[in-house]
Every structure is written in structure tokens, then in C-alpha cells.
Amino acid sequence: MATSNDQFGYIDFSNTVVDYKDGDVIIFEHVDILSKAYPLKPKTTLLALCNEGGITLTVNGKVLEFSEGDAFICPPNAKVEKSVRGATIDCMAIGLSDNIIQGLLHDKMETWNHMVYINQMYKITLSESCKMDIELYYKLLLSKLHNKQHAPSYHTLQALLRALLLDLCQVLEEKNGTIEEQHHSQGKKLFNRFLSLISNNDVKRQPIATYADQLAITPKYLTMLCLKYSNKTASDWVVQYTTEDIRFYLKNSNLSIKEISAILGFANMSHFGSYVRKHMGMSPSKFRHKK
């Protein structure tokens, strides 16, 4: 099975075997696209572990050399320019949508966003034990997916992916220190404060001007900072956090749709339903009962 360019930007996957794919997750066991397809500009987060070979990539202007045992974290819309070293590279890779990362790392999103978007940690050189752990997670995921007699539940796959991401978060912190230990430019601090404001706000769907006022900057400057550090607008971030709250309540609570609509600050159910259909592709009721 092969995926289309729609999900992964400009990459041609026509000759690449996809081991698993749903709306939020795509898994490859052997992939060498990093040495062939340019420009690379994925629409999802791409996590890759180099098994063999070597390559030099320029990611958002940063020149990075990847060798066996290195992990690549490529956020959505990152600009990856042509390799200047290495003809081939073999990787295991997982593509994850913003929605599933938000859902799996609900309590660690600030760490993830800080390290990936602000510190731009696109490359991690893993210890041998950590590399083995990542490979085991990957092999376990594939083993579960390929078991035709006992197909894994979606919750099982989520648990494995969450464990993998939490381990990566721990490595990111070990490599670059915790958020409290970082010292950044004023722009980076403002961007991080913006993400914290959204994360800690019960009603996240606020006008951008409201968040900008709390940061004592203009909405235009806030969006400029978001584009600079994440290639996403301030509105994109608000939608991402809002849809995750919607997903969480619809999937993990017994609250009625009307109650969820009110909790999340929507004026009425009609407005809530239109928002969910626009950003999540179906009605709240259909999303709640989707397996």
C-alpha cells in the first residue's frame, strides 16, 4: 500500500512500502526517501531512525549530518534541502499527525513544542541502549499490526506510540536541559508563553488579539513569531489545541455534546457542530462513535 503526496507534502512515496496507515499514523519499515526526494516538506511530523548509511540534510537552514543510530525529528512544514553527502540511507520511519501527537503527549506538549519548535532539535544522537529501545518499540508496533489472529486495539497502538514519544521527550530534555534551564531570545520566550497560555486556558478558542494582549504584543507580531518558530500561524495553534480538547471530551467523557460545546466556549451547538465538521471532517456525534 502506498500513500499519496497529499499527506506528506512533496515526497513521492509511490515506490515505498507502507506497513501501516490510518488517518493519523503511517509506518515504514525500510525507507530511503531522505536521500531521494527533495524538496522535502512533510505535512505531518516525521520520526526516522537511521539504520544504515549516512546523509547530510539542511533542515530549516540548519546543516545536520545523520549516521547510523541518529534519530530525525522533522516537524510539519519544515524545509529539508537536498543532501550533500550519502547516496543511500535506510531508515525506519513513522509519520504522526498533529492531532495524535497532541492527544498522546497531552501533559508533555509544552516540552515537545519547546524542544522541537523553539530549540529546533531535529537530530538526536542516541545511545546504544536508547537506540535499541526505539527499535523494540518499532518492532513491537509492527508485530502487533501484522498479527492477523489478534488485531491490536487502537488504544494498544496509542499506548505504544505514547511510550515511544515520552522516551523521546526524555532524551530531548537530557540533551538540551529542561524548559526551566533554557535561556532564549525575547521572541522565543514570547512564542513559548503563547503556547503555555493556550495550553492552560480552559477555553482555548480565543481571538488571537486576546492572546496578543496578554503578551503585550500585536496580533500581527504574534503570528510572525509563530511562523518564524513553527511554520504555523497563531490561528493554526489555537485550532490544534482546540480540536484536541474536543477529541478528548468526545472520546473520554460521558458529557453530552451540548455540555462539551458549552465547556469549550461555543455560543451554541450549531456553531460547535460546524467547527467540528470543518476541522475534524465529521459531526461531533459521528466522531464520538468512530472506532
Side-chain angles (χ1 to χ4, degrees), residues 18-44:
V18 176
D19 293 277
Y20 175 78
K21 176 187 174 186
D22 63 25
D24 292 308
V25 181
I26 187 166
I27 300 176
F28 308 90
E29 187 167 6
H30 297 287
V31 58
D32 64 355
I33 54 165
L34 296 181
S35 63
K36 294 182 178 179
Y38 297 96
L40 168 63
K41 191 177 181 184
K43 294 182 180 179
T44 63

Side-chain angles (χ1 to χ4, degrees), residues 1 6 42 84 92 96 103 108 131 159 181 191 216 220 237 248 267-268 275:
M1 177 174 63
D6 293 340
V84 295
M92 54 180 65
L96 299 172
K108 297 289 287 185
K131 176 177 177 289
E181 295 170 346
F191 174 64
K220 184 177 179 179
W237 280 108
F248 179 81
N268 52 60
Y275 188 93

Side-chain angles (χ1 to χ4, degrees), residues 4-290:
S4 68
N5 289 350
D6 293 340
Q7 188 179 9
F8 285 89
Y10 305 137
I11 312 173
D12 179 10
F13 284 102
S14 58
N15 295 316
T16 300
V17 175
V18 176
D19 293 277
Y20 175 78
K21 176 187 174 186
D22 63 25
D24 292 308
V25 181
I26 187 166
I27 300 176
F28 308 90
E29 187 167 6
H30 297 287
V31 58
D32 64 355
I33 54 165
L34 296 181
S35 63
K36 294 182 178 179
Y38 297 96
L40 168 63
K41 191 177 181 184
K43 294 182 180 179
T44 63
T45 294
L46 182 65
L47 307 177
L49 177 63
C50 180
N51 294 321
E52 186 179 341
I55 196 169
T56 300
L57 301 174
T58 301
V59 186
N60 285 339
K62 297 179 68 172
V63 179
L64 302 170
E65 294 189 0
F66 292 87
S67 301
E68 182 179 345
D70 288 336
F72 179 33
I73 302 178
C74 185
N77 299 313
K79 299 174 182 66
V80 184
E81 299 174 33
K82 190 172 182 178
S83 166
V84 295
R85 176 177 70 90
T88 60
I89 188 171
D90 182 60
C91 294
M92 54 180 65
I94 301 176
L96 299 172
S97 72
D98 280 343
N99 288 338
I100 198 166
I101 290 180
Q102 185 87 22
L104 297 175
L105 287 180
H106 193 78
D107 53 339
K108 297 289 287 185
M109 275 308 296
E110 187 173 358
T111 294
W112 179 266
N113 289 336
H114 191 89
M115 298 302 180
V116 175
Y117 290 105
I118 294 181
N119 290 354
Q120 297 184 328
M121 289 193 68
Y122 307 134
K123 171 190 170 181
I124 311 174
T125 298
L126 302 174
S127 66
E128 187 60 31
S129 62
C130 187
K131 176 177 177 289
M132 289 176 63
D133 287 345
I134 299 299
E135 289 176 340
L136 286 173
Y137 280 126
Y138 195 88
K139 289 176 181 177
L140 184 55
L141 276 166
L142 288 180
S143 174
K144 292 287 186 182
L145 291 168
H146 292 163
N147 188 332
K148 297 180 179 180
Q149 292 182 335
H150 302 286
S153 70
Y154 191 61
H155 294 298
T156 299
L157 298 181
Q158 284 186 321
L160 289 172
L161 287 169
R162 174 171 163 80
L164 169 60
L165 290 173
L166 287 175
D167 273 10
L168 283 177
C169 281
Q170 182 176 344
V171 174
L172 287 169
E173 289 187 337
E174 290 172 353
K175 296 288 185 182
N176 217 32
T178 62
I179 292 173
E180 290 74 16
E181 295 170 346
Q182 302 298 318
H183 299 283
H184 299 288
S185 69
Q186 184 63 20
K188 288 182 178 180
K189 290 179 181 177
L190 286 168
F191 174 64
N192 192 48
R193 283 181 58 200
F194 169 60
L195 296 184
S196 296
L197 284 174
I198 305 176
S199 179
N200 295 320
N201 200 333
D202 290 335
V203 178
K204 296 174 173 58
R205 194 182 56 89
Q206 302 282 350
I208 300 305
T210 299
Y211 288 111
D213 286 346
Q214 294 178 63
L215 296 169
I217 59 177
T218 66
K220 184 177 179 179
Y221 184 56
L222 175 56
T223 287
M224 186 196 77
L225 290 175
C226 290
L227 287 171
K228 179 179 180 180
Y229 294 115
S230 70
N231 287 315
K232 293 195 284 191
T233 67
S235 295
D236 289 337
W237 280 108
V238 171
V239 168
Q240 180 177 324
Y241 274 83
T242 300
T243 53
E244 165 51 24
D245 275 1
I246 293 171
R247 184 204 65 79
F248 179 81
Y249 281 114
L250 287 175
K251 293 292 190 180
N252 300 282
S253 79
N254 294 320
L255 296 171
S256 69
I257 292 175
K258 182 177 181 179
E259 289 172 322
I260 295 172
S261 171
I263 288 172
L264 298 181
F266 288 85
N268 52 60
M269 285 183 62
S270 176
H271 189 193
F272 179 65
S274 297
Y275 188 93
V276 175
R277 280 188 289 271
K278 177 180 178 181
H279 295 290
M280 302 172 76
M282 62 189 73
S283 69
S285 178
K286 189 172 181 179
F287 186 86
R288 165 166 267 177
H289 294 102
K290 179 184 174 184

